[in-house]
Amino acid sequence: MSVIIDGKKLAKEIRENLKIKCEELKERGIEPKLAVILVGNDKPSQIYVKNKSKACEEIGIKFEEYLLDENITQKELINLIEKLNKDNTIHGILLQSPIPEQLDINEAFRKILPEKDVDGFNPVNVGKLVLNQDTFVSCTPYGIMKMFEAYNIDLTGKNVTIIGRSNIVGKPLIQCCLNKNATVTICHSKTKELKEHTKKADILIVAIGKSKFITEDMVKKDAIVIDVGINRDENGKLTGDVDFENVEKKASFITPVPGGVGPMTIAMLMNNVLKATKNLEIND
Ligand code: NAD
């Protein structure tokens, strides 16, 4: 039996603290504001944006949504980003991905001012993370690091295996774990003998997007297992990338889905918006 890492509870505590910080800022006449750009009609994106809006409302962060038609041109998207960059009442800018194929998301992320890039996707902020400098860390990896901190899990010298090399989860996680002195292995769809890598992991972090892909035989006894995946199983039930029921018996710590990494991601976004607000205040 393992300790189940309660991301829901931890995220709630973080949001409560942020609410107090937000009130303090408001008492000083500063109103934190997040601008979110949503392009097209992607249903999951609409749900993610709605959840972010709810979290902002709970904490007291002003939320502005920019809904753009799916046929928008790159120029129109960049013009909006530049307008938001110049608007001093806006502290954080988030471009919800995915965006339609005709648009260049890399250019769009590059155009968001690094100081307002609360998702940590601007190459300047990615570079700062690599150099272990203060920056906006993308929210899912940041949330996972906060979980380790809250449960007193020290990464020093640990073998961490990450599965999935996306720009938003796997790649920034490499740096986050390295910055905490872990020995990091990153696996992906072209990795051979995946099990050899998962079996040696003291900490296994999985971000693939395949329901119950990690089975009990792939996990070392007493490993710490972090499940980033969000999937639906054959019955439409929300599941992670880990076969929780069986892996839970072998792991020392494990995150559930739902109620694990997901709520932490949103809490860290809120944290980044307040960080952006404070940074801009200092620069003014
Ligand atoms: P992605 O969908 O962009 O890419 C999937 C990654 O998995 C790729 O790097 C690929 O190489 C790897 N992969 C695929 N099949 C594999 C296999 N058989 N063996 C080894 N590696 C394999 O990744 P993403 O955007 O990081 O999303 C991954 C999952 O995490 C999805 O389910 C997504 O919904 C979820 N997610 C959750 C949160 C959260 O807050 N909880 C945040 C982001 C993503």
Side-chain angles (χ1 to χ4, degrees), residues 48 140 163-170 187-191 194 206-210 213 227-231 241 260-266:
Y48 294 143
T140 303
I163 317 182
R165 57 173 163 185
S166 70
N167 289 344
I168 64 167
V169 184
C187 301
H188 45 79
S189 55
K190 303 281 188 288
T191 299
L194 185 67
V206 195
I208 310 176
K210 289 189 175 156
F213 180 87
D227 189 353
V228 183
I230 304 175
N231 316 290
D241 289 346
V261 176
M264 291 300 290
T265 299
I266 296 199

